[in-house]
Amino acid sequence: MSNCLQSWPEPIVRVQGLSESGIREIPDRYVKRPADRPCFKETTTLSSSSHVLDNIPLINLENLKSLDESIRDETIELISKACREWGFFQVVNHGVSHELMANARGVWQEFFHLPPEEKQKFANSPVTYEGYGSRLGVEKGGKLDWSDYFFLHYLPEPLRDDKKWPSLPITCRKIIAEYGQEVVKLCRKITNILSINLGLNENYLHTKFGGDNERGACLRVNFYPKCPQPDLTLGLSSHSDPGGMTLLLPDTDVPGLQVRRGDDWITVKPVPNAFIVNIGDQIQVLSNAIYKSIEHRVIVNSGKERVSLAFFYNPGGDILIKPADELVTEDQPALYLPTTFNEYRAFIRTNGPRGKSQVESLKSPR
């Protein structure tokens, strides 16, 4: 991407190192504007600027195999409603082994607790973002988030290079490969349901993403160290995911994900052995905004660190993405201009997370 720097604009500071140094106050680079800071006042009513004790829809995917047609139809309808009204839902009985999920989470916890020099062997650059990183965006002097991460490509095959994946712990590469394989199967299953719910051919999204040979998939493992002033910063600033769909394996012990609901931020309570699914900007465009990607952010904790695995299921980078012809009518014209996913992804890699401003910038002039 020609508009991205070849290297970071200033020396990288590892947030885990800051956290473990015993500081009592976070550096100014991590202090958010007052309007962007998390609010920890809990309420059960919807009032602005608070976060709400509520939860996103929970869907049992095993019901899709029910012999009772009404149960199958009801489950498909629940997914449709969740996509239209929330943009987020949790899935259980999804077919991915619980042991594999725990092993994947565990191996990454081990990685982030390796000596700094071991992790530094995999330090990333803004060219591809692959590897061990601590910032999104290349703006010199910009505000930073309280997190480190590891980013890697899984699909398409030509982009995948497991030599760039951690060599320690010794089982890491094997577990990543197996985890990716199983999660891709689940992503395919869910996108088929989304296609049907949009009134399209079951394989519509799969085909538009590039089919088996061109579709993209990548993994971002987020590490949120303990933070002495969690009320002043965020682990990840507000954004919608730029890709197609995200499957998040959250930390089991500490909630951190917040989802925007009107003027409120809802703190998601992860269900054991569930994945959190959310619609990305590319499906918002393909569905002509029938399904919307939703802003979300991550809060941090003074007493506990967190690890989460975000698996992004995306169109191939060079494929032109635009609203489905079948969903464009005289009454509902195409809302977005065509763009490739690589062009689109360059925005967040250059500017960092910026709410919903990116997908809004694609809107067709009326």
Side-chain angles (χ1 to χ4, degrees):
M1 290 177 298
S2 57
N3 61 338
C4 269
L5 293 177
Q6 296 297 304
S7 59
W8 300 111
E10 51 221 338
I12 289 291
V13 175
R14 301 301 180 190
V15 178
Q16 187 176 6
L18 279 177
S19 173
E20 291 174 357
S21 72
I23 56 170
R24 302 267 178 93
E25 293 183 3
I26 62 174
D28 187 57
R29 292 289 301 275
Y30 298 91
V31 176
K32 304 297 180 188
R33 297 180 311 143
D36 296 332
R37 292 175 194 170
C39 177
F40 290 101
K41 188 183 92 183
E42 293 190 344
T43 176
T44 51
T45 58
L46 291 175
S47 58
S48 62
S49 80
S50 58
H51 78 259
V52 180
L53 287 173
D54 198 345
N55 218 345
I56 57 176
L58 175 65
I59 292 162
N60 181 356
L61 291 186
E62 199 165 51
N63 286 340
L64 292 171
K65 299 176 189 168
S66 172
L67 298 175
D68 185 334
E69 189 182 0
S70 65
I71 291 176
R72 295 198 305 272
D73 290 347
E74 182 190 15
T75 307
I76 287 171
E77 179 53 33
L78 285 172
I79 294 170
S80 177
K81 198 170 179 215
C83 291
R84 290 167 190 267
E85 296 181 6
W86 284 85
F88 268 84
F89 53 97
Q90 295 193 69
V91 293
V92 290
N93 296 321
H94 39 62
V96 180
S97 145
H98 296 171
E99 183 185 9
L100 179 58
M101 293 165 78
N103 288 345
R105 200 189 284 112
V107 85
W108 283 109
Q109 281 168 332
E110 285 184 56
F111 170 79
F112 282 105
H113 286 287
L114 289 172
E117 59 274 16
E118 281 298 327
K119 292 179 287 194
Q120 199 57 30
K121 292 174 185 174
F122 296 93
N124 73 346
S125 81
V127 180
T128 67
Y129 271 83
E130 285 179 279
Y132 174 51
S134 295
R135 66 181 291 168
L136 271 173
V138 291
E139 178 191 352
K140 192 168 184 179
K143 289 288 183 189
L144 299 173
D145 288 334
W146 192 262
S147 56
D148 300 321
Y149 63 85
F150 199 103
F151 180 81
L152 59 88
H153 283 293
Y154 189 78
L155 289 175
E157 290 284 347
L159 275 185
R160 175 178 171 163
D161 181 359
D162 59 13
K163 293 185 187 67
K164 293 179 179 175
W165 302 0
S167 49
L168 292 173
I170 214 83
T171 55
C172 193
R173 289 177 179 172
K174 179 176 178 289
I175 289 170
I176 293 168
E178 191 181 344
Y179 180 80
Q181 188 178 350
E182 292 306 306
V183 175
V184 162
K185 286 182 201 167
L186 177 57
C187 288
R188 172 74 195 274
K189 190 190 301 183
I190 295 172
T191 52
N192 283 4
I193 295 164
L194 301 193
S195 298
I196 291 165
N197 280 338
L198 287 166
L200 303 166
N201 176 289
E202 179 183 50
N203 292 315
Y204 182 87
L205 288 173
H206 178 66
T207 305
K208 286 296 175 184
F209 278 25
D212 288 342
N213 294 329
E214 288 185 74
R215 61 183 168 166
C218 43
L219 178 69
R220 179 182 147 119
V221 185
N222 305 296
F223 183 77
Y224 303 106
K226 295 176 194 174
C227 178
Q229 295 177 299
D231 53 327
L232 296 183
T233 191
L234 290 165
L236 193 52
S237 293
S238 172
H239 65 288
S240 60
D241 288 346
M245 184 178 75
T246 306
L247 258 66
L248 179 75
L249 178 60
D251 197 291
T252 48
D253 299 327
V254 197
L257 175 67
Q258 291 192 325
V259 174
R260 186 184 275 286
R261 184 85 166 147
D263 292 329
D264 292 290
W265 289 99
I266 290 174
T267 304
V268 175
K269 293 174 286 198
V271 171
N273 300 313
F275 283 105
I276 297 170
V277 181
N278 66 281
I279 300 295
D281 293 346
Q282 303 307 302
I283 286 182
Q284 175 167 329
V285 170
L286 283 160
S287 73
N288 209 26
I290 293 171
Y291 295 163
K292 293 185 179 68
S293 59
I294 300 296
E295 272 183 85
H296 50 286
R297 67 186 188 184
V298 176
I299 55 175
V300 289
N301 191 288
S302 59
K304 291 184 176 178
E305 64 187 32
R306 290 178 57 249
V307 172
S308 68
L309 282 64
F311 193 87
F312 303 110
Y313 191 65
N314 301 325
D318 296 325
I319 295 169
L320 206 61
I321 299 297
K322 65 183 184 63
D325 293 340
E326 296 89 332
L327 303 177
V328 174
T329 63
E330 209 171 306
D331 295 335
Q332 189 59 49
L335 295 175
Y336 305 101
L337 298 166
T339 188
T340 69
F341 181 50
N342 276 345
E343 289 168 336
Y344 192 85
R345 182 160 53 183
F347 178 99
I348 195 167
R349 291 184 170 185
T350 306
N351 301 305
R354 299 280 177 98
K356 287 274 290 184
S357 61
Q358 184 181 4
V359 74
E360 296 302 319
S361 71
L362 271 191
K363 285 205 163 167
S364 301
R366 291 294 176 89

